[in-house]
Amino acid sequence: MRVTVDMDACQDHGQCCFAAPEVFHLDDDGHLVYDANPDDSLREKVEDAVDVCPTQAITVAD
Amino acid sequence: MPSRVVIVGASLGGLRTAEALRKAGFSDEIVVVGAEEHLPYNRPPLSKEVLAAGISHTAVAFPMRASVSDVTWRLGVPAADCDIDRRVLTLADGATLDYDGLVVGTGLRSRRLAVPGPPPTVAAGRHSLRTLDDAAALRTELVPGARIVVLGAGFIGCEVAATARTLGCEVTAVAIDPYPMVRPLGALLGAQTQRRHEAHGVQFRLGAGVTAFHGDVKVTGVELSSGEVLPADVVVEAISSHCNTEWLASTDLDLTDGVLCDNTLRAHRRDGSPIDGVHAVGDLARFPNPLFDDVPRRVEHWNIPTETGKRVGSALAAYLSGEGYDAAIASEFAPLPAFWSDQFDMRLQSFGAPGLAGGDPDDIRILEGDLEDEVIVGYHRGERLMGVVGIGMLKSVMAYRSAIGHVATAAS
């Protein structure tokens, strides 16, 4: 699974970090960092992260 | 015979319900009915970046998952009537749709002031802001030097005021409340919101009612209860909203302030009984949240259509398949409300229900930071933390999420 975050759209709301903490987290400055190639077993959590992103910045491809 | 779910309301709640139905294995027909011409789109940008940068459906449309590619969208036709006992929906064009499951997700519309003056139309310079078309109409008016009077100083009012000011408009915000944002934020952060807006040149008239609009064909001024007349090229009415439930008026659903629901979002009849197969999602669903108490409330925050849509999709799929429905009803639904707002360089971020703070002066207090700069304020009822609001400090605000609804301790 390939995860892409449009970093121009991302506003560091951090909602994805609660939906899929294995994939998304905020660094010490509060900016998003993420794993672009997470394990397929995390698909459901990543889909939840896509849903809760206020700026709809996350996309998932197989 | 294949069954059919009809979702009334083609916005975020309707989309998430359709997705959740498919995810739960419902493979029969889904029809989504929408009053607007557009497929579901994200509304928060309408008062912020989209209003500032320009409007297109593409810029705000929600991506469509493959799982909902076979959903039938009936757009541009509002629902007109519903027969709950016979399970028939009637649309405004006279068409009827039988259903096995019904989802009510028709949301809210802006309330317009009923005072003397030109009518509430764009041509008369009277705008509201809930839809893409509203935003497109307002966008063309926000030119440098234009005199904008914003009525109401809640989320939409304050965001429009900030965006318009940033675009170079002369902005005055009028509200009956003592502070902007006072209902969600309380006086402490309401005063901070006011200070920050004023520093950017927004003017306020607070504790003020509107008695009339001046002008013949087009608004030229707004007359306040004080007698003052504010010159205006454009008026934006952001005072409050109505639930779009008129199409349910002939039913015996309890439509007191939205659609009364149980914790499974099943709609209630006026006699208090829930109706299997009839659910509500989004802004108009009035449901109890055990995170706080057993009082049913509507929650007008962006994450609620998604939370309620997922809940309803799975419960409705279970009901229609006859498998797992009792377990779905027995499970507890306790979504954590969340909101944010961007106004100038201020980012407000909240978790929980700050509006449920108790009346004690100490119930709303600073948890971290500096009121004049970045700050986190806690909203308590007795010892329980009901909600937090941060200005900035996002990462620290998030640390309080797990404390919401519990007896307050330091964030961990």
Side-chain angles (χ1 to χ4, degrees):
Chain A
M1 172 176 43
R2 175 142 189 90
V3 175
T4 309
V5 179
D6 177 347
M7 295 309 285
D8 291 330
C10 175
Q11 296 176 1
D12 301 318
H13 283 278
Q15 302 286 352
C16 54
C17 306
F18 286 89
E22 300 87 345
V23 180
F24 304 94
H25 73 274
L26 297 182
D27 67 16
D28 289 342
D29 296 326
H31 296 306
L32 180 71
V33 289
Y34 66 100
D35 176 358
N37 295 289
D39 190 87
D40 240 24
S41 63
L42 295 167
R43 181 171 295 273
E44 186 155 334
K45 286 184 169 185
V46 171
E47 292 289 352
D48 283 343
V50 170
D51 287 347
V52 299
C53 174
T55 63
Q56 295 289 291
I58 307 170
T59 48
V60 181
D62 291 316
Chain B
M1 203 172 104
S3 52
R4 175 193 283 157
V5 171
V6 174
I7 299 170
V8 187
S11 194
L12 178 53
L15 174 62
R16 292 289 181 253
T17 305
E19 290 172 343
L21 280 161
R22 288 290 184 248
K23 188 176 175 187
F26 177 77
S27 57
D28 290 345
E29 188 179 5
I30 300 176
V31 180
V32 184
V33 174
E36 290 181 64
E37 298 281 354
H38 306 291
L39 284 165
Y41 58 88
N42 203 16
R43 294 180 196 271
L46 298 183
S47 52
K48 310 181 187 88
E49 54 267 38
V50 170
L51 193 55
I55 310 294
S56 76
H57 181 259
T58 316
V60 287
F62 286 111
M64 284 286 166
R65 290 191 163 99
S67 65
V68 292
S69 60
D70 61 349
V71 165
T72 302
W73 300 87
R74 298 277 292 259
L75 301 176
V77 188
D81 191 26
C82 189
D83 186 327
I84 295 288
D85 295 318
R86 290 179 50 236
R87 299 192 165 205
V88 180
L89 176 75
T90 304
L91 305 184
D93 63 5
T96 59
L97 282 166
D98 298 340
Y99 63 80
D100 302 283
L102 178 73
V103 179
V104 179
T106 35
L108 313 179
R109 67 179 182 278
S110 302
R111 186 165 76 85
R112 309 308 293 265
L113 273 182
V115 297
T121 61
V122 166
R126 291 179 60 182
H127 292 254
S128 63
L129 185 54
R130 281 208 75 86
T131 69
L132 192 61
D133 296 345
D134 292 340
L138 179 57
R139 177 69 186 88
T140 62
E141 305 270 15
L142 300 182
V143 295
R147 296 167 302 177
I148 313 292
V149 175
V150 179
L151 307 181
F155 287 99
I156 293 174
C158 282
E159 290 174 2
V160 168
T163 304
R165 183 68 192 134
T166 302
L167 290 169
C169 303
E170 299 297 322
V171 180
T172 306
V174 177
I176 201 77
D177 299 318
Y179 297 103
M181 305 282 288
V182 72
R183 278 176 251 193
L185 300 184
L188 193 66
L189 286 183
Q192 280 305 310
T193 303
Q194 181 179 352
R195 182 183 68 78
R196 290 160 194 251
H197 273 255
E198 286 174 342
H200 284 92
V202 173
Q203 299 198 47
F204 284 93
R205 297 291 187 277
L206 298 165
V210 172
T211 51
F213 293 115
H214 287 206
D216 295 326
V217 178
K218 197 167 184 302
V219 170
T220 58
V222 178
E223 184 175 326
L224 306 183
S225 44
S226 64
E228 182 185 10
V229 179
L230 298 170
D233 300 310
V234 178
V235 171
V236 183
E237 291 167 64
I239 40 177
S240 65
S241 42
H242 286 295
C243 293
N244 293 320
T245 54
E246 287 79 2
W247 61 280
L248 294 165
S250 71
T251 70
D252 62 351
L253 297 186
D254 186 333
L255 302 176
T256 315
D257 187 25
V259 178
L260 178 62
C261 300
D262 62 12
N263 190 249
T264 316
L265 286 322
R266 282 182 301 184
H268 274 225
R269 297 184 193 273
R270 283 192 294 268
D271 66 10
S273 60
I275 307 173
D276 289 320
V278 179
H279 295 260
V281 296
D283 288 345
L284 53 58
R286 187 161 65 94
F287 64 96
N289 186 338
L291 189 59
F292 304 110
D293 54 28
D294 59 3
V295 179
R297 295 185 186 86
R298 296 193 304 105
V299 184
E300 295 179 29
H301 297 328
W302 182 84
N303 70 320
I304 295 301
T306 291
E307 297 273 6
T308 53
K310 289 184 176 188
R311 170 71 158 172
V312 166
S314 63
L316 190 51
Y319 170 68
L320 294 171
S321 72
E323 290 174 21
Y325 187 50
D326 290 344
I329 291 172
S331 66
E332 187 177 87
F333 179 60
L336 179 67
F339 69 74
W340 81 96
S341 183
D342 294 311
Q343 300 169 26
F344 299 110
D345 50 0
M346 177 175 72
R347 159 70 59 84
L348 288 161
Q349 177 76 58
S350 171
F351 298 105
L356 297 185
D360 189 291
D362 194 40
D363 281 340
I364 300 177
R365 56 181 183 266
I366 295 171
L367 300 176
E368 291 181 45
D370 174 359
L371 206 51
E372 300 286 314
D373 186 20
E374 298 203 332
V375 67
I376 300 173
V377 172
Y379 297 74
H380 304 79
R381 186 190 285 175
E383 290 303 305
R384 287 175 73 204
L385 183 65
M386 306 303 276
V388 292
V389 178
I391 298 179
M393 302 185 73
L394 176 60
K395 201 169 174 186
S396 302
V397 180
M398 292 200 297
Y400 289 92
R401 285 175 58 121
S402 57
I404 304 294
H406 302 294
V407 171
T409 56
S412 53

